[in-house]
Amino acid sequence: MPDRDVAVVGGGPAGATAAVFLARRGLDTVVFDRGRSSIARCAHLENYPGFPGGIDVGTLYDLLHDHVGAAGAAVVDDMVESVERLADGGDEGGEGFLVRPQEGDPVTARRVVAATRYDGEYLRGLDDEDAMFEEHEHDGETHETFVRDYADRDGTTPVEGLYVASPSDEADMQAVVAAGRGARVARRVVADARIDDGWWEDVALGYDWVRRESARDEEWADRDNWREWFDDYHGDDAPVDADSDRFRRVREAFLDERLDQYVSDGEVADRTHRGHVALAEHLDPAAVADAHDPAALLDELDDDAVRAYLAERGELPGPEAKE
C-alpha cells in the first residue's frame, strides 16, 4: 500500500494549486519543493489576479504553501532526484511509484504529478526516452529537454498514474496560467482516483465550490429529492444498474460531497475572518497602517480584543482574567 495517494513534485503555482485541489477532495497528498520555482526569477508579480498592487514573490510563495497546508497536504523541503515505477521490480513492491528525494527518506505514492517548469530529468526511465526527451542544439552543443507536449491537455501521460502539469506547453512562464494548469491536472487525478473506487466519468469529475445554505430552498433540504435528481441526471448513462450496490454507494458519496458544499451564513463569516487573518499574517504592519484610517485601527484594538487575541494564541488568559 503506497504511503500517499499523490506526490506532487514542485511547489510553485502549478504544483501548489494541484495540491490544494487534490487535498480538498480527500487525497493524501505530499508536495516536494526546494524553493527553486521559476517564479523566483520575477522581481515583482503584477498580473496575478486578486492583487491590484501586485505582490512580491516571497509573499505569494508563502501564501501558496500555507494554502497547501490548510487544505490538508504536506510540504516537504526537499528536491526529488528520481521517480521509479514500483511495478517494475523495486524492492518495495506494489503498485504506484517510488519517489526518491535528495536528502529525506523515499516515499511511495499511487500517483505522481510533475510540476517543475524547467526540468523533467527525475522522470527518466518511466517511459521510452525518445518519447519523453528531445535533443536540440544550442551554442554548438547538443542538449536534451523534456518534451513539452508529452502529456495530454488534462495532464495524463502514456505512463499510468503519471501526470504532468509542468514542463508543458500549457503551463508557460505566466504564474496564473501555471496555476490553472495545476487545477486542470488535479481535477483529472481526482476523477481517476474515484473511477478506481467505482465511480464513473460523469460523476467523478465533479467540482469544488462552496454555496450558502440560504440558497438551498426547502425542497432541496430533503435528501430523497437529491437522490431522485441524481437518478434522473446520472442514472441513464451509468455503466451499472441503478439498483446495484455500486450505484447506490457512489450516489451517496456524491451527495455527501454535494451537501457538504452548503454552509451557513455564520460559517461563511467565520471562513471570511479566517481568510483575512491568514492573509494579514503575511502583511507588513506598516502597510496595514498605511491602508487604514488610524482611528479605525485603534477601535479594533480595544483592551478586550487584544486580550482575546492573546488568549487565542495561548499567550494570555481571556478577558475575564483582567480583573
Side-chain angles (χ1 to χ4, degrees):
M1 183 73 176
D3 301 322
R4 302 278 187 169
D5 290 322
V6 187
V8 179
V9 184
T17 303
V20 168
F21 274 71
L22 293 167
R24 282 178 55 81
R25 296 277 65 86
L27 295 179
D28 186 357
T29 304
V30 60
V31 179
F32 289 93
D33 182 71
R34 181 49 68 83
R36 297 183 182 179
S37 171
S38 60
I39 196 175
R41 298 188 177 192
C42 180
H44 190 74
L45 193 59
E46 297 188 327
N47 58 5
Y48 204 94
F51 300 99
I55 183 169
D56 64 283
V57 171
T59 299
L60 178 66
Y61 215 71
D62 289 345
L63 287 168
L64 287 172
H65 285 198
D66 280 0
H67 200 168
V68 170
V75 179
V76 176
D77 180 18
D78 209 341
M79 180 179 292
V80 170
E81 290 193 329
S82 68
V83 175
E84 306 162 19
R85 284 304 300 256
L86 291 177
D88 289 345
D91 293 338
E92 291 76 5
E95 62 178 332
F97 300 87
L98 180 68
V99 181
R100 294 187 184 275
Q102 195 172 67
E103 298 176 359
D105 294 331
V107 171
T108 56
R110 191 175 301 278
R111 292 175 170 84
V112 168
V113 174
T116 52
R117 176 171 177 250
Y118 288 120
D119 184 19
E121 185 70 20
Y122 58 92
L123 300 175
R124 282 190 183 276
L126 291 177
D127 197 359
D128 186 287
E129 296 206 356
D130 289 337
M132 299 184 81
F133 296 89
E134 59 187 353
E135 294 184 349
H136 66 95
E137 298 291 330
H138 181 69
D139 288 341
E141 296 183 358
T142 301
H143 300 269
E144 276 194 330
T145 57
F146 189 80
V147 177
R148 298 180 69 83
D149 61 357
Y150 174 74
D152 290 338
R153 192 167 185 268
D154 61 0
T156 53
T157 72
V159 179
E160 184 177 356
L162 173 67
Y163 304 78
V164 175
S166 183
S168 163
D169 283 333
E170 291 244 339
D172 68 3
M173 64 187 69
Q174 301 300 315
V176 66
V177 178
R181 169 76 174 176
R184 177 184 294 123
V185 173
R187 189 167 181 251
R188 181 68 259 167
V189 176
V190 170
D192 287 348
R194 288 175 169 175
I195 289 170
D196 284 352
D197 193 38
W199 295 46
W200 52 95
E201 185 76 13
D202 286 346
V203 295
L205 279 171
Y207 50 85
D208 182 3
W209 68 330
V210 178
R211 302 181 67 182
R212 291 182 181 272
E213 183 69 42
S214 56
R216 186 171 60 160
D217 59 29
E218 186 174 341
E219 176 185 4
W220 294 104
D222 187 341
R223 191 179 182 98
D224 284 338
N225 288 336
W226 280 99
R227 292 189 179 102
E228 290 181 14
W229 168 85
F230 184 93
D231 292 350
D232 291 341
Y233 198 80
H234 295 291
D236 290 342
D237 296 328
V240 294
D241 191 277
D243 292 327
S244 68
D245 289 341
R246 176 184 168 191
F247 183 93
R248 288 192 290 267
R249 178 177 64 83
V250 171
R251 179 180 62 191
E252 295 310 306
F254 180 96
L255 295 184
D256 283 344
E257 181 177 285
R258 179 64 63 89
L259 293 172
D260 283 345
Q261 292 172 338
Y262 288 90
V263 296
S264 67
D265 289 344
E267 178 62 19
V268 170
D270 287 344
R271 293 187 186 192
T272 299
H273 178 71
R274 291 199 299 269
H276 288 175
V277 170
L279 178 60
E281 287 176 346
H282 293 277
L283 299 180
D284 175 20
V288 175
D290 287 343
H292 293 277
D293 175 17
L297 287 175
L298 290 173
D299 285 344
E300 292 295 322
L301 297 178
D302 63 80
D303 190 52
D304 284 349
V306 172
R307 287 178 174 274
Y309 170 76
L310 293 175
E312 185 177 333
R313 293 170 60 92
E315 298 176 12
L316 248 178
E320 68 280 356
K322 69 178 182 179
E323 300 177 358

